[in-house]
Amino acid sequence: MSVFDEMLAHNEGYARRFDLGHLQTPPVRKLVILTCMDSRMDLEQLLGLRVGDAHMIRNAGGLATDDVVRSLILSTHLLGTRSIAIIQHTECGLLSITDDEFRWRLSTSTGRDASHLKFHAFRDLDQNVREQVARVKRDPFLPKEIEVRGFVYDVKRGSLREVESQ
Ligand SMILES: [Zn+2]
């Protein structure tokens, strides 16, 4: 059985017990979480959220890329969210590579020129969180009253701490 078949089989039971059809499109807690795609973060569990409470935007690193900002603009202006939490985490894959090294690895394994690709690897977790918060805060299309705060999740302890912006 492939992982896709397992997903479909599980969903049959889920749909039979499903009782969330009443939820509306705007998130109940007016919250957006921007975080990494890392598989070890169960966001609802670790943040005390329920399905329907928050938008979840995930990418490698939890970075405020142009496409993430696109989503944040839609989230705030169209769907009424008012708080943005940016959560990065310990042991992130982007802490373990450099862009140069990974581009080289990719070019070697694919035989293609990867010199134009950006992966946004970083060395300093707290500083990287601060940079994402600053990037979001200075976007001219996001409402000024939105609260943006940054956090680090420890994948070994399950604990979340705030990163003070400077
Ligand atoms: Zn990560």
Side-chain angles (χ1 to χ4, degrees):
M1 211 182 191
S2 76
V3 68
F4 305 113
D5 296 327
E6 289 168 358
M7 283 163 40
L8 286 166
H10 175 86
N11 180 257
E12 282 182 24
Y14 179 81
R16 270 197 300 276
R17 296 184 301 274
F18 188 70
D19 62 356
L20 296 172
H22 62 283
L23 290 173
Q24 305 294 308
T25 311
V28 173
R29 306 273 294 265
K30 300 183 189 301
L31 173 66
V32 192
I33 310 290
L34 165 58
T35 192
C36 185
M37 65 187 186
D38 194 281
S39 63
R40 294 167 288 188
M41 284 187 283
D42 182 340
L43 293 161
E44 274 89 359
Q45 288 294 315
L46 77 95
L47 299 173
L49 300 174
R50 302 170 63 155
V51 175
D53 276 354
H55 281 151
M56 305 286 183
I57 306 172
R58 303 187 77 157
N59 63 19
L63 303 176
T65 58
D66 288 350
D67 191 64
V68 164
V69 171
R70 175 187 71 90
S71 296
L72 291 174
I73 290 170
L74 289 166
S75 175
T76 53
H77 284 278
L78 195 62
L79 294 164
T81 53
R82 285 296 170 261
S83 304
I84 299 173
I86 299 175
I87 304 176
Q88 298 191 351
H89 66 98
T90 58
E91 298 185 12
C92 187
L94 284 180
L95 283 162
S96 69
I97 60 167
T98 67
D99 273 38
D100 278 346
E101 174 236 333
F102 191 70
R103 276 191 291 265
W104 177 83
R105 214 194 291 180
L106 199 57
S107 295
T108 305
S109 65
T110 64
R112 302 265 179 175
D113 178 13
S115 61
H116 61 292
L117 297 177
K118 288 189 173 64
F119 297 98
H120 306 291
F122 53 89
R123 281 284 162 272
D124 184 328
L125 189 53
D126 284 33
Q127 184 55 30
N128 195 57
V129 170
R130 282 187 209 101
E131 285 170 16
Q132 308 316 308
V133 170
R135 162 78 179 88
V136 170
K137 279 185 172 173
R138 71 170 175 262
D139 192 275
F141 294 104
L142 286 168
K144 287 299 154 226
E145 69 273 19
I146 297 290
E147 191 174 20
V148 188
R149 287 162 68 170
F151 306 85
V152 166
Y153 175 71
D154 186 321
V155 297
K156 284 287 179 270
R157 298 170 185 274
S159 56
L160 188 74
R161 69 175 168 82
E162 181 154 14
V163 175
E164 301 299 330
S165 49
Q166 287 172 332

